Amino acid sequence: MRIAEFAQATGFAVDTLRYYEKIGLIEPPLRDSAGHRIYGPAELRWAKFLGRLKTTGMPISGMLAYARARAEGEVTTPERARMLREHRAEVARRVAELQDCLSVLDSKIASYEATMSDAKGPDHVAEHTGNTRRTRPQAAR
Amino acid sequence: MRIAEFAQATGFAVDTLRYYEKIGLIEPPLRDSAGHRIYGPAELRWAKFLGRLKTTGMPISGMLAYARARAEGEVTTPERARMLREHRAEVARRVAELQDCLSVLDSKIASYEATMSDAKGPDHVAEHTGNTRRTRPQAAR
DNA sequence: CCTTGACCTGGAGTGCGCTCCAGCCCCCAC
DNA sequence: GTGGGGGCTGGAGCGCACTCCAGGTCAAGG
């Protein structure tokens, strides 16, 4: 599999793949006689997993730490497990936060639609912060 | 409320608030006799709502479009409702995507933990893309 | 033989969203 | 009245994650 096809398969741009290789996120793949990169299924699995990490917002520095641990072999299994557990927790927090925001959006959309369905509408639609319960603990001056 | 307290209350940095004002995301607030910005509750509600938009990944260009529509008054209510509905849909997609990634992380963590609980562990933990169903392990290895 | 097109390299450039800074002003407490 | 703290401005700088480019190699098709 050459780089164009690999890019297609992983969702990364060709330039991004070379960049990832340059910074050590992806191992330098084999080359064919012309010096072109040839990727195999193992590379594909790894790149797809990197895509998951990226999608979940892991910064490159984090992916790099994981990649380096991975390169050290099985001895780093506990470390990698810890990294993933921490990241998982972070992602779960973000999901919860987004869901909270979704409900704010929903109520704002609902109030817009209520306004629109009125002939004239109520005064105006004010921003409301969606503090239905427990927002950020506020340092009360 | 002066800018430091406002920053505290909104979660934005002081510099960020001035930056948002400069680009038109926040209306220039009143000034006190010393020329210092004075923010009121309406500004607070708006800034908190902006924080929600930001948290949900809306780019500044999007927030700006919304802010401009808002500045035009009630006539833009349908437009703003549309913007929020579209954004809401986008956020919902992202949540679903993250949840999908969460399950990938979970299964990977589980396989790490299985490896760790073995005295020696199975061969190794391969990257698997999270296609738990469908995708048959390709014969080659 | 010549063109085409995919790929190569090192390095420069980009867009986003802030973040920091110098140099200044104003008010208040001591 | 002096020192300190908070605020002001315009503009430069930064970190991240790419993205683009010039100039080159190579293999195959016409």
Side-chain angles (χ1 to χ4, degrees), chain A residues 7-131:
Chain A
Q8 193 70 26
T10 59
F12 291 119
V14 166
D15 275 330
T16 301
L17 288 169
R18 285 194 285 246
Y19 166 69
Y20 281 1
E21 183 183 327
K22 183 157 55 183
I23 64 173
L25 214 44
I26 287 176
E27 296 275 292
L30 297 173
R31 300 295 182 113
D32 68 12
S33 60
H36 294 185
R37 290 168 180 82
I38 297 298
Y39 298 91
E43 281 86 352
L44 186 55
R45 282 191 300 273
W46 171 238
K48 281 184 175 176
F49 183 65
L50 277 182
R52 295 295 189 155
L53 294 181
K54 182 189 165 189
T55 294
T56 51
M58 183 181 281
I60 282 185
S61 58
M63 294 193 266
L64 218 36
Y66 185 83
R68 278 190 294 252
R70 180 172 174 270
E72 307 229 321
E74 286 204 13
V75 72
T76 63
T77 296
E79 185 184 348
R80 282 182 274 162
R82 185 189 47 72
M83 288 175 176
L84 291 190
R85 275 195 306 270
E86 277 173 18
H87 182 58
R88 197 226 113 92
E90 179 63 29
V91 175
R93 271 192 293 281
R94 298 236 349 275
V95 167
E97 185 180 49
L98 289 182
Q99 277 165 341
D100 194 37
C101 289
L102 272 183
S103 75
V104 173
L105 286 174
D106 282 339
S107 68
K108 194 156 183 68
I109 289 167
S111 78
Y112 271 138
E113 282 169 356
T115 301
M116 281 157 51
S117 69
D118 286 350
K120 286 196 144 157
D123 291 339
H124 61 281
V125 179
E127 270 62 51
H128 50 98
T129 59
N131 297 344

Side-chain angles (χ1 to χ4, degrees), chain B residues 48-60:
Chain B
K48 281 184 174 177
F49 183 65
L50 276 182
R52 296 293 189 156
L53 295 181
K54 182 188 165 188
T55 293
T56 50
M58 184 181 280
I60 283 185

Side-chain angles (χ1 to χ4, degrees), chain B residues 11-137:
Chain B
F12 291 119
V14 167
D15 275 329
T16 302
L17 289 169
R18 286 194 285 245
Y19 167 68
Y20 280 1
E21 183 184 326
K22 183 157 54 183
I23 64 173
L25 214 43
I26 288 176
E27 295 276 294
L30 297 174
R31 300 295 182 115
D32 68 13
S33 60
H36 294 184
R37 290 168 180 81
I38 296 298
Y39 297 92
E43 280 88 351
L44 186 55
R45 283 191 299 274
W46 171 238
K48 281 184 174 177
F49 183 65
L50 276 182
R52 296 293 189 156
L53 295 181
K54 182 188 165 188
T55 293
T56 50
M58 184 181 280
I60 283 185
S61 58
M63 295 193 267
L64 218 36
Y66 185 83
R68 278 191 292 252
R70 181 173 174 270
E72 308 229 320
E74 283 204 16
V75 71
T76 63
T77 297
E79 185 184 349
R80 283 183 272 162
R82 185 188 47 73
M83 288 176 177
L84 292 190
R85 275 195 306 271
E86 276 172 17
H87 182 58
R88 197 228 114 93
E90 179 63 30
V91 175
R93 269 192 294 280
R94 296 232 353 272
V95 167
E97 184 180 49
L98 289 181
Q99 277 165 340
D100 194 36
C101 289
L102 272 183
S103 75
V104 173
L105 285 174
D106 282 339
S107 68
K108 195 155 182 69
I109 289 167
S111 79
Y112 271 137
E113 282 168 356
T115 302
M116 281 157 54
S117 68
D118 287 348
K120 290 194 143 160
D123 290 340
H124 62 280
V125 179
E127 270 61 51
H128 50 99
T129 59
N131 303 346
T132 42
R133 328 159 248 310
R134 298 243 129 265
T135 320
R136 193 149 302 277

